[in-house]
Amino acid sequence: MSSDQQPLLRVRDLVVEFNTEAGVARAIDGVSFDIYPNETVGLVGESGCGKTVTGLSILGLIPSPPGKIVQGSIEFMGRDLVSLPEEELRNIRGSEISMIFQEPMTALNPVFTIENQMTDVLTRHQGLTRRQAGKAAIEMLDKVGIPIPEQRIKEYPHQLSGGMRQRVMIAMALSCGPKLLVADEPTTALDVTTQAQVLEQISLLQDEFHMAVILVTHDLGVVAETCDRGIVMYCGNIIESADINSLFNHPRHPYTEGLLNSIPRLREKKVDQLPIIPGRVPDLFHLPEGCRYGDRCNRVTDQCRQTAPLLQSVTEHTAVSCFHPVTQTSG
Amino acid sequence: METLQYIIRKLITGIPLLLGVTFISFMLMVYFGPDKTYELLGKNATQEQIDEIRHQLGYDQPFFIRYADYLKELVTLDFGHSDSTGEPVSGLLGRTMPISLALIIPGFVLGNLIAIILALTAAYHRGSWVDRLIMGFSVVGMSISFLIVIIAFQILLSSSYGLNLFPVRGWNMSTFGNYLSYVTVPTLATVFVSLGYNTRFYRAVIVEEMTRDHVRTARAFGVPPARLFYKNILKNCMIPIITRVIFSIPLVVISGSLLIESYFGIPGVGKVTFDAITTGDQPVLKAVVGMTAVLFVMAQLVTDILYRAVDPRVTLK
Amino acid sequence: MSGQSTAAIRREGLWSKAVYKFSRDRAGLVSLAIVSIYTIVALGAWGGLWATEWADVTGGKWMPVSSEHWFGTNIIGQDIFQRALFSTRTTFEVGFVVALLATAVGALLGAVAGFFSGSWIDEIALWMMGVLDSIPFYLFVAAIAFALQDNPYAMHVAMIATFWTTVARLVRGEVIKLKSLEYVEAAHAIGVPEIVIIFRHILPNTFHILLVQGTITFVAAIKSEVILSFLGLGVKEGMSWGLMISESTMEVMAGFFNNFLAASAFLFVLVMAFNMFSDALQDALDPKKV
């Protein structure tokens, strides 16, 4: 993530809307960020904040209808994915950019073998023959730590455990050597030990394949463990973006601070009750005029209620959208 | 071996169904059904003659003995002789069944195949005018009575008021050309009517499958839409499709051909059944009901085995 | 009891939303209007307001369309338009009776089977549905007609006995789903008798299914009536579109189509409108549908 490198992915002013019965919901409202080669970026927020939609828009996978990218650009290695014809986008999906999903139980097709699903990707993107693809798939499975891969590959998804299935997903996602991996809550559905193993596997392979990873998650612990940078989203906006140290040690946005305070910490002395953020997330049809976090914020002023703060760079890689950011010393 | 055990077990679990169907139909058609004594006797019969006929017909036996006799007939496939023609019932069905199958199969196959293609097309263009057009046609198809379609097709294709291309009614399978000329109009009518319901059902199944996570995964790995449909989605939809197709077979063989055969005067099982209904020919009716129930048990078995073939998660237990 | 009120709120939300959605569905509104017109025609024929001369010979054989005979006359000189109108009444009587009773029986047995799912009660209910689904429909009608000795309602009974199974399967499925919901469990926990749970708490929440299935059954019944009457297994007294088509087959061969066209058109428009109404209803009541 050094500044002399060109960003691999450059998202600018992305706006995604969903047509619903109750009206148009703006799930993402002007999101901009960069992803550099080889780095791991955590995209964090509560459910419904737009983090998953952001991940899906990168690959053009927003369910449409009802969803639609109405504005903005997603530039990946010089090409704008938003305006790219569907056919060219398909050649990028699974080869240059891969995605893995939350539910390993349902994300794989239940009626085809692992081999069938993996070789399908390899023959399509790499032009391999079925036989070559089969060999490559076994190698990939071996790399993600699946024992006896030549046997496992003949099996169907339901014959594997959740952790194994997620490893298969990872093997499939990495089989064509992508430059970018979008991992949407890859470990949420797994138990804690498996979670750690799967995350470690991703990190290991990331180094080997020299790829960038966007980790979409609601779990700050996962971000702290695996990411170089974190992007915090709230109500369709990015409210803070910073490297992992400053994000966790010196959060600038009151929301980030609130999130961090609500995680239990082992080393600190016992508290009676974990602090919580008061109030609830406003729904997308009744957004406040000013800062969307205003109603829940303890630092709110009239200025916040009248105008929405924009994301402002604080340092080269740190940005926050708040008129009254938490000062450095308070942490 | 395991499969064989499974088949046997499955056939045994089909017994309650067979018993239920035969019991209800026996009770309604035979026990409470028309008394045939006086039809078979001349006027002024003596009491002895009456008693003898009643004994022949089994009317003097208790209910359960008579029911058991029916079951025995079902097991031995010997249903006695038709009341109206005197022909052995098994021979009658054996003679007419091939005709019904030859009549129904083209329409049944085409009606499902075309419906699946239309459903895939509609689902693929979901929300567009193509989808709306196909679904609009299918509502129209659902709303036209089979009877009206048959008559209208006959007028349009087989009468001097229309194109006059095919014979008005009857049946002839002596040459393939003859077969085609007689089977075309009934087939077109069957296809027309079944398309409405089938397309709608298959589209719903396909659209439901389209929302599944694994479809999103396939898209995320760059599977082109056409391949997505005929490989990833279609195979996952096979269970409801198989169920619908197989379970409609027993009813199509009897009910589906009944109207068409009696209207076109085609001597198949449907016509035989219809004639048996109008004349109260109990041996024939018992045979038809019993055989349909057997077909249902078989259909259950066949679907279970086919499920196993299309979905690895299904185990034969 | 808070459980009851959440259930009630859920229900109310569904219905007010459905009315709103339906009121914006143009095809649904048009179809409802058509069905209403037919209903009025049927009620009028029933009340003797019109179509009173359906059985009378009021003209010559096969008279063409005229201001006196809107659709012409049939082979013996009866007015086809009046006969078609009068048949609407027959159709509605069959459709209404069958739809109402089949839905009621299906709801009741389906709810009981679902509530006691897994027990012998459920097993028996499922067995009964399987059995009735396996008897060929026309044979079943004939069998019931035999048993009821040509009672004019044999056809109705047969249809009800055949059509309730679909409703029952759907209701059973829904009840199994509802049964595990909190408010039902709460009612159970505080000792509300099972019968009360079924009727007060579970069945009302399946009403949207019943409404849609009722319209589907109505369509199935009137379509079956036409074919059965044509085959001579259905309506025997009075007039119905099926009987009209049946008498028209002779006329058609002679090149006179009015009788056939009139009955077909009346039937087609009603079934089409009912199908569209049923679709609109289904869309309006589907909470998942946007």
Side-chain angles (χ1 to χ4, degrees):
Chain A
M1 55 167 249
S2 54
S3 54
D4 48 275
Q5 264 181 311
Q6 282 293 311
L8 181 72
L9 184 81
R10 191 199 285 269
V11 177
R12 286 291 172 274
D13 268 334
L14 188 68
V15 177
V16 178
E17 287 180 346
F18 284 83
N19 276 310
T20 71
E21 204 184 327
V24 175
R26 205 167 253 218
I28 297 184
D29 191 6
V31 158
S32 306
F33 60 90
D34 292 336
I35 304 289
Y36 291 90
N38 297 342
E39 68 169 343
T40 307
V41 178
L43 202 55
V44 208
E46 292 168 81
S47 56
C49 71
K51 57 188 194 301
T52 295
V53 176
T54 308
L56 288 171
S57 0
I58 297 172
L59 277 113
L61 290 176
I62 304 280
S64 164
K68 196 174 188 304
I69 297 178
V70 290
Q71 197 188 310
S73 64
I74 301 172
E75 209 177 283
F76 174 72
M77 293 169 66
R79 286 158 294 179
D80 180 17
L81 301 181
V82 174
S83 56
L84 210 62
E86 173 75 14
E87 210 180 312
E88 283 176 50
L89 198 56
R90 273 206 299 277
N91 291 329
I92 294 178
R93 288 181 190 148
S95 67
E96 291 174 73
I97 306 177
S98 277
M99 184 154 188
I100 54 179
F101 298 97
Q102 177 171 359
E103 287 292 336
M105 306 291 166
T106 52
L108 289 164
N109 193 322
V111 304
F112 293 102
T113 57
I114 307 299
E115 180 171 33
N116 188 315
Q117 301 186 46
M118 287 192 73
T119 54
D120 202 64
V121 179
L122 284 160
T123 50
R124 187 169 47 252
H125 288 311
Q126 308 280 72
L128 301 182
T129 62
R130 281 265 147 199
R131 184 183 293 260
Q132 290 168 327
K135 263 181 79 179
I138 292 176
E139 273 169 39
M140 245 355 270
L141 289 177
D142 192 43
K143 271 195 186 135
V144 296
I146 289 184
I148 343 175
E150 45 301 315
Q151 209 171 317
R152 288 292 174 167
I153 199 168
K154 304 280 178 207
E155 293 184 353
Y156 289 94
H158 74 277
Q159 292 166 294
L160 306 175
S161 68
M164 282 295 155
R165 266 183 273 199
Q166 199 56 293
R167 283 167 198 269
V168 169
M169 274 300 301
I170 295 168
M172 226 164 112
L174 302 192
S175 60
C176 297
K179 292 275 163 292
L180 175 65
L181 175 72
V182 181
D184 184 5
E185 305 262 10
T187 57
T188 308
L190 306 175
D191 64 67
V192 184
T193 27
T194 324
Q195 251 183 34
Q197 289 168 357
V198 167
L199 285 172
E200 199 181 304
Q201 199 74 55
I202 294 178
S203 308
L204 270 171
L205 290 165
Q206 177 180 17
D207 294 339
E208 193 182 329
F209 285 85
H210 304 291
M211 63 178 182
V213 175
I214 299 178
L215 191 66
V216 177
T217 182
H218 67 277
D219 188 339
L220 283 168
V222 168
V223 174
E225 273 169 50
T226 47
C227 295
D228 305 314
R229 267 194 311 137
I231 296 174
V232 185
M233 290 188 71
Y234 184 79
C235 252
N237 291 145
I238 292 178
I239 50 112
E240 181 161 6
S241 153
D243 66 87
I244 219 70
N245 277 326
S246 43
L247 191 71
F248 279 82
N249 297 328
H250 306 291
R252 288 184 169 81
H253 199 285
Y255 176 63
T256 317
E257 189 188 36
L259 279 183
L260 289 171
N261 285 341
S262 62
I263 329 179
R265 280 168 211 217
L266 274 182
R267 258 181 267 163
E268 277 172 24
K269 54 181 187 292
K270 266 194 190 164
V271 283
D272 288 338
Q273 201 186 353
L274 282 170
I276 52 162
I277 303 175
R280 49 168 67 179
V281 185
D283 81 72
L284 293 173
F285 300 110
H286 304 99
L287 289 172
E289 205 154 295
C291 179
R292 292 178 183 182
Y293 186 62
D295 288 345
R296 305 173 70 185
C297 187
N298 53 6
R299 308 167 79 89
V300 67
T301 61
D302 284 345
Q303 186 188 14
C304 305
R305 294 210 167 92
Q306 277 147 19
T307 39
L310 296 170
L311 194 64
Q312 301 277 345
S313 294
V314 182
T315 67
E316 198 184 349
H317 284 293
T318 313
V320 65
S321 73
C322 183
F323 295 122
H324 316 289
V326 184
T327 46
Q328 299 281 342
T329 47
S330 78
Chain B
M1 191 58 213
E2 225 173 88
T3 317
L4 189 72
Q5 268 182 352
Y6 171 77
I7 290 173
I8 292 169
R9 216 168 33 234
K10 197 75 196 173
L11 286 178
I12 292 172
T13 54
I15 288 176
L17 180 78
L18 280 180
L19 288 178
V21 172
T22 49
F23 185 80
I24 289 184
S25 47
F26 176 79
M27 204 169 68
L28 292 175
M29 289 193 309
V30 182
Y31 195 74
F32 291 118
D35 189 327
K36 311 229 57 155
T37 316
Y38 299 96
E39 277 176 43
L40 296 176
L41 287 166
K43 278 188 179 142
N44 307 323
T46 62
Q47 187 58 42
E48 268 165 42
Q49 283 173 311
I50 292 175
D51 286 344
E52 199 195 312
I53 284 287
R54 293 190 72 83
H55 180 71
Q56 265 177 27
L57 290 168
Y59 287 179
D60 56 348
Q61 300 290 320
F63 179 85
F64 279 101
I65 304 265
R66 293 177 64 194
Y67 178 56
D69 279 343
Y70 175 28
L71 291 180
K72 202 178 86 195
E73 289 172 4
L74 196 60
V75 173
T76 56
L77 291 182
D78 178 10
F79 294 96
H81 298 262
S82 157
D83 284 348
S84 37
T85 62
E87 194 180 346
V89 173
S90 44
L92 183 71
L93 291 181
R95 182 168 57 79
T96 51
M97 189 59 89
I99 297 175
S100 286
L101 291 178
L103 172 70
I104 296 159
I105 286 171
F108 184 71
V109 172
L110 286 175
N112 281 291
L113 222 55
I114 298 174
I116 290 175
I117 293 168
L118 286 177
L120 282 170
T121 313
Y124 183 86
H125 297 285
R126 186 155 62 122
S128 81
W129 64 271
V130 178
D131 184 21
R132 280 200 294 273
L133 188 75
I134 292 177
M135 295 331 285
F137 268 123
S138 92
V139 176
V140 172
M142 282 167 58
S143 305
I144 300 184
S145 168
F146 191 25
L147 181 61
I148 294 172
V149 173
I150 292 176
I151 299 176
F153 274 44
Q154 193 192 41
I155 296 172
L156 293 174
L157 296 168
S158 318
S159 78
S160 52
Y161 305 102
L163 299 172
N164 208 1
L165 293 174
F166 301 97
V168 178
R169 60 200 312 277
W171 188 250
N172 185 339
M173 278 206 293
S174 56
T175 64
F176 189 65
N178 276 336
Y179 169 60
L180 278 188
S181 72
Y182 281 98
V183 85
T184 305
V185 178
T187 299
L188 288 177
T190 315
V191 170
F192 188 91
V193 164
S194 54
L195 275 189
Y197 284 99
N198 285 348
T199 306
R200 217 173 138 91
F201 176 81
Y202 294 138
R203 180 186 175 277
V205 169
I206 293 164
V207 166
E208 164 106 28
E209 195 63 35
M210 278 165 69
T211 63
R212 301 247 189 262
D213 284 353
H214 68 80
V215 174
R216 188 178 63 179
T217 308
R219 288 186 60 214
F221 281 93
V223 178
R227 188 176 166 75
L228 190 67
F229 270 86
Y230 73 77
K231 184 193 164 183
N232 300 58
I233 293 180
L234 198 55
K235 194 175 177 197
N236 290 281
C237 294
M238 279 326 273
I239 285 201
I241 291 178
I242 287 173
T243 311
R244 182 178 178 87
V245 169
I246 303 285
F247 274 96
S248 55
I249 289 175
L251 289 181
V252 162
V253 170
I254 307 300
S255 300
S257 61
L258 193 140
L259 182 66
I260 232 169
E261 286 177 8
S262 49
Y263 186 78
F264 285 101
I266 298 167
V269 182
K271 179 83 166 54
V272 166
T273 310
F274 179 65
D275 291 344
I277 288 174
T278 46
T279 57
D281 195 340
Q282 287 173 358
V284 175
L285 292 177
K286 282 196 293 188
V288 171
V289 170
M291 295 319 291
T292 316
V294 171
L295 277 179
F296 260 105
V297 174
M298 304 285 277
Q300 232 158 40
L301 185 68
V302 171
T303 47
D304 279 350
I305 291 169
L306 286 178
Y307 289 167
R308 179 73 188 83
V310 296
D311 191 337
R313 287 166 298 180
V314 176
T315 48
L316 298 181
K317 271 189 286 199
Chain C
M1 194 161 61
S2 73
Q4 196 175 349
S5 64
T6 51
I9 288 166
R10 215 172 67 99
R11 230 180 291 153
E12 221 162 79
L14 180 72
W15 290 106
S16 58
K17 226 170 143 182
V19 170
Y20 173 76
K21 269 200 245 183
F22 193 91
S23 68
R24 288 167 42 125
D25 186 335
R26 204 175 311 148
L29 290 175
V30 170
S31 58
L32 180 62
I34 296 175
V35 170
S36 310
I37 293 170
Y38 269 94
T39 314
I40 293 167
V41 168
L43 286 175
W46 182 63
L49 295 179
W50 43 67
T52 47
E53 296 176 319
W54 65 273
D56 302 343
V57 177
T58 52
K61 170 184 178 181
W62 290 342
M63 281 167 67
V65 173
S66 67
S67 58
E68 199 180 334
H69 302 289
W70 289 11
F71 289 168
T73 59
N74 69 0
I75 193 162
I76 56 167
Q78 293 161 318
D79 185 83
I80 292 174
F81 183 63
Q82 291 218 22
R83 291 167 81 75
L85 284 190
F86 187 80
S87 301
T88 311
R89 172 193 143 169
T90 313
T91 293
F92 268 74
E93 182 224 77
V94 173
F96 198 70
V97 169
V98 171
L100 199 71
L101 291 177
T103 311
V105 172
L108 199 68
L109 293 181
V112 170
F115 192 78
F116 297 105
S117 65
S119 75
W120 61 272
I121 298 176
D122 186 33
E123 289 287 321
I124 288 187
L126 283 175
W127 170 76
M128 249 161 67
M129 296 176 210
V131 165
L132 289 174
D133 286 344
S134 308
I135 302 179
F137 180 57
Y138 299 114
L139 275 178
F140 195 46
V141 178
I144 288 180
F146 287 150
L148 294 180
Q149 309 195 324
D150 287 328
N151 182 303
Y153 285 99
M155 175 180 70
H156 300 67
V157 174
M159 284 194 206
I160 293 163
T162 312
F163 294 153
W164 72 269
T165 58
T166 315
V167 183
R169 282 182 206 280
L170 287 170
V171 170
R172 177 178 174 272
E174 186 71 12
V175 168
I176 290 177
K177 212 168 75 193
L178 288 174
K179 194 168 71 158
S180 59
L181 291 184
E182 279 169 24
Y183 70 94
V184 176
E185 280 182 355
H188 224 141
I190 59 172
V192 179
E194 278 164 351
I195 192 105
V196 176
I197 297 180
I198 294 177
F199 280 98
R200 289 248 335 255
H201 302 270
I202 292 188
L203 264 183
N205 281 302
T206 63
F207 192 72
H208 60 288
I209 297 181
L210 301 183
L211 196 64
V212 171
Q213 275 307 307
T215 59
I216 292 174
T217 311
F218 193 104
V219 170
I222 62 184
K223 286 177 80 176
S224 304
E225 181 273 320
V226 166
I227 291 178
L228 288 172
S229 298
F230 173 81
L231 290 172
L233 299 170
V235 174
K236 301 219 167 54
E237 289 155 27
M239 205 6 80
S240 95
W241 295 325
L243 290 177
M244 286 173 72
I245 293 174
S246 174
E247 66 183 30
S248 79
T249 48
M250 290 296 134
E251 305 176 340
V252 160
M253 286 299 124
F256 184 79
F257 301 109
N258 287 17
N259 215 358
F260 173 67
L261 289 178
S264 303
F266 265 81
L267 175 65
F268 172 69
V269 173
L270 175 62
V271 174
M272 178 93 182
F274 236 107
N275 274 331
M276 281 163 59
F277 173 63
S278 171
D279 279 357
L281 206 59
Q282 219 163 330
D283 285 349
L285 286 168
D286 184 353
K288 277 184 298 183
K289 211 141 190 174
V290 183

